[in-house]
Amino acid sequence: MRGYPKSKALFERAAAIIPGGVNSPVRACRSVGADPLFIERAEGAIIIDADGNQYIDYVGSWGPMILGHGHPGVIAAIEKTLKRGTSFGAPADLEVTLAEMIIKAVPSVEMVRMVNSGTEATMSAIRAARGFTGRDLIIKFDGCYHGHADMLLVDAGSGVATMGIPGSAGVPAAAIEHTMSLPYNDMNAFTSVMTRSGDKVAAVIVEPVAGNMGLVPPKEGFLDALRAGTQKYGSVLIFDEVMTGFRVAYGGAQSLYGICPDMTCFGKIVGGGLPVGAYGGTKAIMSCVAPSGPVYQAGTLSGNPIAMAAGIAALTELQKPGFYEHLDQTASRLAEGLGRTAKNVAIPLTIHRVGSMVGAFFTPGPVNDYADAKTSDLERFSKYFRKMRGKGVYLPPSQFEALFVSAAHTDDHIDATIRAAETVFAELG
Ligand code: KE4
């Protein structure tokens, strides 16, 4: 039987001085009725808590750990670069190398700027799009999360295409008055808004594969409709590939679906587990960014050499022949196994997979948007989460997140996970 005394003691100390005892809300595990585990270390597909309990990890630091934890190539690159110092506040070779790798991997990106998080990437991309077009209106989609910049913390309005309402305390109505949120995968809603207001739309920002309402792939034609509509009215199409970039393919979701956005946002994998974000796009748009142009954006630690070295090492590994084929086979084994075991005990489970991202909704489905995702049985999901953690499987603590499989996950890890799920589903039935 697993015990958690050290995690419990650490959580008590943390809760007294850090909001909710965590440095990012989802880690608090509140939506699944559990306390967070404090992690001692991680290696490959395994994460070890402060009490020495081991788990097969499907959070992967929320996406960055596609190689598995503590990859020797990444660690070596960090150690080597540390000897040069940790931060210069001046340009260095490594940030140029990583920029060149991103541009080579993602042809729609002609220029790129490094930042320190996905939030900074999307916030800056929107400012650049507004500066480039001289327009204010932004369109996003319900259930898509683009970080916590004020203008993107929007809950869908009551109707299909009403202006958003603040999705958080502290976000003034003025901050989101130019942000509209539409149902994901709803081409008609999008097209009718663009017909009415397209010439006022600065940018449309979308997760090309949604990973923040659980995993919801784009419907056939949805991304094409966004591309056509933004092209027609001179709006900037921004693909938020913070999660999907270098995850679902080396060229990101845009390479899978054959859509060329005007701007792309990156994060997570591109930093190899260290704090990195990036935003890029056409030369015409990116030349508007200071100091080349009038759109201001800055960052003390942007392009940090240690983080750049980790990102370069990670992307170098991802280019090895067969990397994604093998990764996707492992993820497919997991998705198929979860679906099969749930079906065997008549648990309604809708499974989605895109590359090495896997989603499992406790609802009969289909799940094509946020409204569908919210039909999931959250109580049943919470029990599933707690029981799986008790059996040594570390899942994302929310129905509205995606599982991440890494190159360090073996068939044995997957089969052990499926065996645990078989027992848990039977108990939930
Ligand atoms: P960060 O600022 O957290 O680095 O990135 C924000 C962001 C932007 N765009 C997409 C598509 C994202 O998924 C994210 C962050 N993802 C969440 C997990 N769903 C981060 C986990 C957390 O908030 O702790």
Side-chain angles (χ1 to χ4, degrees), residues 23-27 61-62 116-120 122 145-148 207 209 211-212 240-244 267-268 276 400-402 404:
N23 284 306
S24 199
V26 70
R27 301 178 192 172
S61 182
W62 301 97
N116 301 283
S117 69
T119 293
E120 276 189 82
T122 58
Y145 174 69
H146 304 291
H148 60 89
E207 289 182 60
V209 174
N212 287 289
D240 177 351
E241 297 228 38
V242 167
M243 190 182 278
T244 55
K268 298 181 191 281
V276 175
F400 305 113
E401 295 288 355
F404 297 101

Side-chain angles (χ1 to χ4, degrees), residues 68-85:
H69 293 284
H71 186 279
V74 175
I75 301 295
I78 293 170
E79 287 172 340
K80 180 173 171 236
T81 309
L82 275 174
K83 295 186 176 62
R84 293 175 55 180

